[in-house]
Every structure is written in C-alpha cells, then in structure tokens.
Amino acid sequence: MRIKLNIPENSVQTDTAYMSDVLGEQKNFPVLVIGRDSYIEEAWAEVVFDSGMIYNLQVGRYTSIAGDVKIIVDMNHDYRRVCQGRINGAPYRRPERIRRKGQVVIMNDCWIGDDVTIMSGVTIGNGAVVAAGAVVVKDVPSYAIVSGNPAKVIGYRFEERQIEALELIRWWNWTAEKVRAAAGLLYGDIDTFIEAFLPDAQRELQQIPMADIIPMEKTKSGPDRRLLYIPDFEQDYPTYPNVIEAFVNSYADTNYELLLYIREDADLQEKLERLDDIFSKYEDVDCYVNLFVANPEDERSLFGQVDGYITNRSTDNVRYMDMADLYGISCISGVDVPMFAEQVTERMCRTQTDKMQIDELERKVGELQAMLSNLTNAYKQQIAQLSTNQYAMNLSVDNLKYEVLATQDKLQLPTIRSGQEAIDKIISERKSMARFGDGEFAVIAGVNRQKFQHADAELARRLMEVLHMENEEVLLGIPDIYGDLSKYNTECRYNIRAYLTEEVRKQNYDLLDMDRTYYDAYVTRPYASYHDNNTDAPKQRFDALKKIWQGRNLVIVEGEKSRLGIGNDLFAGAKSIVRILGPAEHAFDRYEELFAETKKQGKDKLVLVALGPTATVLAYDLAIEGYQALDIGHVDIEYEWFLAGKGKKIEVKTKYNNEVAGGDQVEDVHDAEYESQIIARYV
C-alpha cells in the first residue's frame, strides 16, 4: 500500500494524528503523527498492513519535509530465504528470519530534502539535515548533515558546544506563543540565542523533581534494568498488549523491570481493568512489572530513573522520545518484531558517547560497594539503589564519596554549623547574616544562572568582598551540601548532585576558606528540602526562626512581588513592620537607593532582606553601619509551602517564586495593611 502524505505549511496548529481505516474494520489507525508547525510537501509511505500492524510513522515539531520523499515501513527484504521472489499458487509469507521494523521517526526541527528515501527503523535526530537524494538506512545524529546512498554524516550544523546548549534548551517544547515571541532570535545568530535562553534551561533542568517511583526488590538473574512504557489506551490498535507480551516472553526470570506509567484520570479504573485482563494471562510467569499511577509535576522526572523507553503510537510519543534523548536513554520501538532484539538491549544505557563510559561508571560502583562493610545500613541502601542509567548514575557515583566519607573524617570539607546555632547567635548576640548559595557563586563566576539576577561585574566584586570579610558581627552562610545529604529528601539530594559536579565543587572550594566556620544557609529553608517535612520538625524549625523577630520592629527590604508574611502569620509576633520595595528582578541595579533608604531607619530595628544575591551585600553593608540585618532568602515562600502541607514546592499565585515553573507570573494583591507598611518603592 502507498499512502500519500501532503501536509501544507501552517496547517498543523497542534500535535496531530491523521487517521485512516486501513484494514476496513471501521477502526481508526494513525497513518501519520505530526507535530506543531511541521509540513510535508509530498511524501509516500510504502507499507503492507497486516494484523500485526507493524507501523509507526511520526514527525516532530517545526520539521520541513520536501517533495518526492519515500518512507519505507516494514518492507525489509529477507535475503536469507532460498527463494527471494513470489511463487505462483503458494501464499506469500512475511519475513521470519529478519527483524521486522515498523517505526520511522523524524524528530524536531529537521530538514528533509527532495527525493529522499528513509528506510524502516530509522530515527532522524533533532535539528538534522538530510540532503536531497539521500537514502537513509540508519539513525541520524542530532544536528548532523547527511548525504549520499547510503546516507553518511558529512558535517554538523553547529559547533559541539552549541549543539550541547541547544539540546538543553530544546526550544520546540515551548508553547507556540513563546516560540513566536522568540522568532527573531530563532531566525538569528546561534550564540545570541544560546546566551538568551541557556541559563533558564539549565535552571529549569536542575529544578526537575524526582518522581516517587516505588522500588522493586529484585532477586532474579542478570543486570538490573528498568524500561519505561506508557500504554496507549486511547488507540483502536494499541501497542500495549504486544509490548507486555514481548516483555514477559523476553525477560521472565530476569531483573529487567517494565515500568508502566498511567495517568490518573476519569478512565483510570477502565485502564487498570484492561491491564488486569492481560496480566491474568501470565499468572504463572515470574517477571517484574511496576505500575506508576500519577500525574507528575514534570514527566521528565521519570526519565531520569529509567534505562530505556519503549515507544508507542500516541501523539505524545515524539515528546517522550525527546525526553529520553535528553537523558541519553535508548528508545526501543514498540511495534517491531521481535521487539527486544539482542542488538537493541545491548544498547541499554548507552549514550551518544561510548559504552566505555558505562563500564567506567560500573567500575566506580564496584569500588564503592567494596566499602559497604564499614558503612551504616542507610548508606548500604543508598548504594544499592544507584540507577545504572548513566545520567542518574553519574550524579550519584561522582558525589557519593563525599556523602559517605563525610562521617568518617576522611575528606576535607567546609566547616558548617547548623541553622539552629546561627539562630542562637542571631538572638543572643545580635549577629547579622549574609548567605551564599548557587546564585551568588554563579554571579561571582560571571554566569547567568538565575533569571531574577543577571551576572554583574560590580555585584560579583562585592560578593567576593563579603565572602572574604573578617567582621565577626556577620555570620557567613553557605549551604550544608558538601558532605552528608541524609537529612534531605530524594528530590533535594538529586538536585544537589545535579548542581554540585566536580567542576562546580572545585570552583566553590577555591572561593571558600577551609579554616573558617560557616553557618548553614538553609536556615531560611526549613521545609521543602528535608526528608522529615511530613513530621512536626518543620514547625519546630519555623518556631525557632520566629523567635528572631518576636517583639522586634522590622524593616523588610524585598522585591516588589515577594510580599513576605502577607496572607500568613510568619511575622505575627513582630512589634511593627515597614517595607522598602525593590525590583522583583535585577535588584542590584537599584542598590544605592535601597541602601540609602534603609539607612534612614533606626538602628534599633531588625532589617530582613529578601532580594536574591543583592541581599547578601546589603545585609553585610548594613551590619558594617551598625544595623542588625539578615539575608532572609526564601523563608516566606517556604512557610507558604509548609502551610500548604504538600511536602514539596508549589506555585503561590500571589508571590514571586523562582523555584517553580510559572512562579514569575504573579497575581495582583489588594491588601490595605500591606500597602500601609510600604514606605518606599524602587522598582
């Protein structure tokens, strides 16, 4: 069968599946799934449909396909048969000795030239260019330019560092509105585009939470692998029955795990009943199948914890393949026969670099496991749960020596006193406090890491001055993240490991004085990061903080949309409050005005500052002038999360919040008491 594909420009407004009743059974089958703003001048898909429905043709977003393009699906020639032709009077049999490949995927932002032929089983990576007349017989790397018959890589669109940046930004996943707004930069210089959007992308990736997947205790043979599959219940010809059957037949009595991700919705009960019907067929088979039933805040959180992704025919599949690509995870076609061919499973966990990297990581794990006899049970469990997915494994293995050996005094680490010790000194000795975190260290390094404060040479110089100051009236705070992480929850530990690479650790160590005593900068983060946040412990930590300002006259210097204490009782114990508002973003641009305005207040007042890296400098300068000033950071937004009781970071619609997606979109508030407290605005 030849299927003509003609999708005009600007006709695809959203990811779309084009359906056809290909078997005449009055059922819809997706002959093409294509993403937003992609188009096809003219292409032909050549396929022979049978009951196996070994077919999956998908195109991502912003991809351009020219004319006379031919896509061959599930028509591989079995040259190992005795007779290669057709025998009159004998029924034709589909190939049985070779793998039937039914999937062709062209990812996002690709250009496919005229008269190109694409063979079964091929995935063309993001941003790739296929020159006119090429015959593509194997996968094309992202941003590669291929040409010839068979198609070979003749170059790349950009430099390696630029490609790495684009693969972090992945602009095609933005909303259509955001893409249109950035069109000028998208059509322009690559480095200008990267400079504009890479910092936000890096920050967003570091804030991806860990999905709460329940681990399975495995006692079978072979390597421990977890394959993610998302059942396509909505399809008339779904892939999930075949995927489950293939998994059971291939991986019974092994340590392979099939993780089924099922969204919670009105049809959940029906979905589970369908799966029960399938599972009942394999009651006597011993294999690991794990159900993850949830609506996670960010689906990328699943891909950081798996070793492979099995595709389906849904309109979300290219998006999921893109997530897998982000984490360097292999994709397995959910329509091929056999599905789990040897050459596919051999690629498990292999990234685009080299299998040798995995071998080196596994060697590291082996060395660390040799230390188990000297570790506590908690650390034993931590090592045992290391994923063999390279991305997650890198984070854990590279940092684990610091986490494990911190309690054995075998590594030199910064001396960091607890948050409670800082509170005691603030109350009893009227100490001030200036805090450093990833944002402040990024400014010093000249990196635009935070959206709310761009890199600034003068701010960097002032931060260095504060970091190396000798004033005993000011406590210096840095995060207690360089050694043991056991007090933090899974998401926080993951984010710390993602941030604190060997390179970043070295940069921080070069700035710190190992002979100095610091205090935990997370004293103002009492809730969301801790593993005990579902107990009474966060309340005790907040109660300790509230004693700082109990009965004090407060000057709050904050961003115009921060609204510390508004809508909650965080500062209910204060005697009085006045507020000085600065910009919600890039507050250092108005530093001199904010500093001068604050100095108009009496030195008997306690100054609380929440202005990102600017607060670190302002608290220090005020302390030098004889004020008691505290860089109070995220204490109010943490208190809002604590009151919500969700155990995690959530959006607070009336307060600026750089910790969650959309947190910079803040609703207006009309609060008479709040307005009466404002004595100056520099916004």
Side-chain angles (χ1 to χ4, degrees):
M1 177 185 295
R2 300 188 79 212
I3 303 172
K4 184 177 181 179
L5 306 172
N6 176 241
I7 311 296
E9 289 186 46
N10 305 318
S11 64
V12 183
Q13 304 300 315
T14 187
D15 302 342
T16 301
Y18 289 88
M19 301 291 191
S20 177
D21 183 13
V22 293
L23 294 183
E25 297 178 341
Q26 296 185 334
K27 293 181 179 180
N28 288 321
F29 182 83
V31 295
L32 172 67
V33 173
I34 188 168
R36 178 210 308 152
D37 281 358
S38 290
Y39 69 88
I40 303 174
E41 286 187 9
E42 184 176 86
W44 296 89
E46 298 194 6
V47 59
V48 176
F49 283 110
D50 58 20
S51 58
M53 305 303 283
I54 302 174
Y55 179 97
N56 189 20
L57 175 56
Q58 302 211 333
V59 177
R61 297 175 175 178
Y62 304 99
T63 282
S64 306
I65 300 177
D68 297 322
V69 171
K70 183 186 297 183
I71 302 169
I72 310 297
V73 183
D74 186 30
M75 295 185 67
N76 290 18
H77 172 62
D78 187 356
Y79 59 87
R80 286 177 290 185
R81 287 178 170 178
V82 175
C83 175
Q84 300 186 86
R86 302 293 179 103
I87 299 174
N88 187 19
Y92 177 72
R93 289 163 52 186
R94 299 302 302 272
E96 299 172 349
R97 295 172 180 81
I98 61 171
R99 188 163 183 242
R100 294 179 61 185
K101 301 177 182 179
Q103 177 171 284
V104 174
V105 179
I106 305 170
M107 296 292 285
N108 308 281
D109 188 36
C110 296
W111 174 266
I112 311 299
D114 283 311
D115 197 29
V116 165
T117 299
I118 304 172
M119 303 301 292
S120 288
V122 163
T123 296
I124 297 175
N126 292 315
V129 173
V130 181
V135 178
V136 185
V137 299
K138 62 181 181 180
D139 291 353
V140 176
S142 294
Y143 290 96
I145 303 170
V146 300
S147 178
N149 181 7
K152 295 182 180 179
V153 175
I154 60 173
Y156 286 84
R157 290 175 58 194
F158 304 112
E159 298 173 13
E160 184 176 356
R161 64 171 181 85
Q162 295 169 329
I163 293 173
E164 289 176 355
L166 289 171
E167 290 186 324
L168 289 177
I169 297 170
R170 296 181 185 262
W171 58 267
W172 44 82
N173 293 322
W174 296 348
T175 64
E177 293 75 16
K178 183 174 180 179
V179 172
R180 282 194 290 270
L185 291 171
L186 282 163
Y187 287 142
D189 174 68
I190 177 66
D191 286 326
T192 303
F193 176 81
I194 290 172
E195 182 179 356
F197 295 108
L198 181 59
D200 281 352
Q202 291 172 322
R203 182 171 58 254
E204 178 186 331
L205 287 171
Q206 289 162 357
Q207 293 174 353
I208 296 174
M210 289 285 283
D212 190 16
I213 301 172
I214 299 175
M216 304 186 78
E217 184 177 350
K218 300 176 182 177
T219 59
K220 303 300 180 183
S221 63
D224 184 353
R225 299 286 189 265
R226 175 185 282 164
L227 308 182
L228 173 64
Y229 173 68
I230 304 166
D232 46 358
F233 294 106
E234 74 284 357
Q235 299 282 328
D236 286 347
Y237 296 95
T239 58
Y240 68 87
N242 291 338
V243 169
I244 294 173
E245 179 182 17
F247 179 83
V248 170
N249 291 338
S250 299
Y251 296 122
D253 297 313
T254 73
N255 284 327
Y256 272 76
E257 170 190 342
L258 181 63
L259 178 66
L260 300 178
Y261 163 40
I262 304 167
R263 300 182 190 88
E264 288 188 85
D265 57 25
D267 299 322
L268 177 59
Q269 187 59 39
E270 180 185 348
K271 294 175 182 178
L272 295 178
E273 289 173 356
R274 289 196 202 178
L275 291 177
D276 282 342
D277 288 342
I278 295 176
F279 294 155
S280 65
K281 302 176 184 178
Y282 309 110
E283 291 180 351
D284 298 330
V285 179
D286 198 354
C287 64
Y288 296 110
V289 177
N290 196 352
L291 296 186
F292 180 74
V293 181
N295 294 318
E297 180 181 337
D298 191 324
E299 290 177 315
R300 289 175 294 184
S301 62
L302 291 167
F303 288 81
Q305 301 180 68
V306 301
D307 305 295
Y309 166 66
I310 303 170
T311 66
N312 61 32
R313 281 192 281 253
S314 73
T315 53
D316 291 320
N317 181 61
V318 170
R319 185 167 60 88
Y320 290 134
M321 291 182 69
D322 192 58
M323 293 179 190
D325 181 63
L326 173 65
Y327 285 93
I329 294 167
S330 294
C331 291
I332 302 167
S333 170
V335 301
D336 290 0
V337 177
M339 193 172 300
F340 301 108
E342 182 178 355
Q343 62 267 34
V344 174
T345 54
E346 281 180 353
R347 291 201 311 267
M348 208 64 61
C349 302
R350 187 179 301 174
T351 64
Q352 294 178 356
T353 52
D354 194 271
K355 177 68 164 62
M356 291 175 64
Q357 293 182 345
I358 300 300
D359 295 338
E360 174 63 16
L361 290 170
E362 290 177 344
R363 183 189 63 77
K364 290 182 183 180
V365 173
E367 291 176 354
L368 289 167
Q369 287 174 331
M371 300 159 48
L372 281 174
S373 59
N374 298 321
L375 305 177
T376 64
N377 289 334
Y379 286 118
K380 289 182 182 180
Q381 182 180 13
Q382 186 177 16
I383 292 179
Q385 291 179 353
L386 286 182
S387 170
T388 49
N389 163 266
Q390 181 175 347
Y391 184 79
M393 191 171 174
N394 261 323
L395 302 183
S396 298
V397 171
D398 289 344
N399 202 61
L400 192 56
K401 61 184 177 183
Y402 300 99
E403 299 176 39
V404 170
L405 298 180
T407 59
Q408 302 181 12
D409 296 325
K410 293 186 178 181
L411 293 173
Q412 185 180 22
L413 300 171
T415 301
I416 305 174
R417 301 297 185 194
S418 70
Q420 184 58 55
E421 290 177 271
I423 292 172
D424 292 343
K425 284 186 172 291
I426 289 168
I427 294 174
S428 64
E429 302 178 30
R430 293 292 176 101
K431 300 291 188 183
S432 294
M433 188 172 192
R435 299 180 312 110
F436 284 77
D438 58 339
E440 287 72 27
F441 287 126
V443 172
I444 291 174
V447 176
N448 283 311
R449 178 176 171 80
Q450 295 178 321
K451 178 180 180 181
F452 59 86
Q453 180 58 65
H454 53 64
D456 182 289
E458 177 59 17
L459 176 56
R461 186 190 69 78
R462 292 304 321 279
L463 288 170
M464 283 289 288
E465 177 187 341
V466 177
L467 190 60
H468 296 141
M469 60 88 179
E470 297 295 337
N471 192 315
E472 294 184 355
E473 296 305 309
V474 183
L475 306 180
L476 271 183
I478 63 174
D480 187 12
I481 60 174
Y482 297 98
D484 179 16
L485 303 181
S486 60
K487 64 185 175 183
Y488 302 119
N489 57 32
T490 300
E491 177 184 344
C492 181
R493 291 198 302 269
Y494 181 85
N495 290 334
I496 290 171
R497 292 163 180 163
Y499 161 68
L500 202 57
T501 62
E502 287 288 348
E503 180 183 4
V504 171
R505 184 182 288 270
K506 182 179 184 305
Q507 291 172 354
N508 290 4
Y509 280 12
D510 288 344
L511 295 171
L512 298 175
D513 181 354
M514 292 299 182
D515 295 324
R516 183 171 194 152
T517 297
Y518 299 95
Y519 291 84
D520 188 5
Y522 281 6
V523 63
T524 63
R525 291 177 172 269
Y527 177 66
S529 298
Y530 293 91
H531 72 77
D532 62 2
N533 62 14
N534 61 348
T535 70
D536 192 49
K539 181 180 183 302
Q540 296 177 22
R541 290 193 284 266
F542 278 113
D543 287 345
L545 281 167
K546 289 178 180 180
K547 292 178 182 178
I548 295 174
W549 46 79
Q550 180 71 33
R552 300 287 302 273
N553 295 306
L554 301 185
V555 180
I556 297 177
V557 187
E558 61 180 343
E560 63 170 326
K561 297 178 182 179
S562 297
R563 299 163 183 156
L564 270 64
I566 299 303
N568 61 52
D569 65 346
L570 183 60
F571 300 117
K575 185 176 181 180
S576 68
I577 299 175
V578 296
R579 298 174 187 268
I580 299 170
L581 302 191
E585 298 179 351
H586 315 306
F588 195 69
D589 293 348
R590 307 296 298 271
Y591 181 79
E592 295 301 332
E593 297 157 292
L594 291 167
F595 182 40
E597 186 66 40
T598 308
K599 288 195 296 180
K600 295 177 183 179
Q601 309 306 308
K603 292 185 178 180
D604 62 315
K605 295 183 177 181
L606 173 62
V607 183
L608 305 181
V609 191
L611 288 170
T614 301
T616 305
V617 177
L618 184 56
Y620 169 71
D621 283 349
L622 289 169
I624 296 298
E625 295 286 334
Y627 293 82
Q628 186 184 15
L630 304 176
D631 170 6
I632 206 68
H634 295 78
V635 66
D636 177 72
I637 204 70
E638 286 269 340
Y639 195 56
E640 292 283 1
W641 296 333
F642 163 69
L643 295 175
K646 300 291 187 181
K648 62 180 181 179
K649 302 172 183 180
I650 60 172
E651 182 180 4
V652 180
K653 294 184 180 298
T654 58
K655 299 185 178 184
Y656 188 98
N657 177 6
N658 68 303
E659 299 277 320
V660 299
D664 57 346
Q665 306 300 314
V666 184
E667 296 179 357
D668 291 334
V669 169
H670 302 286
D671 185 294
E673 182 180 9
Y674 168 66
E675 294 294 336
S676 69
Q677 294 171 350
I678 299 171
I679 60 173
R681 298 175 188 263
Y682 298 96
V683 297

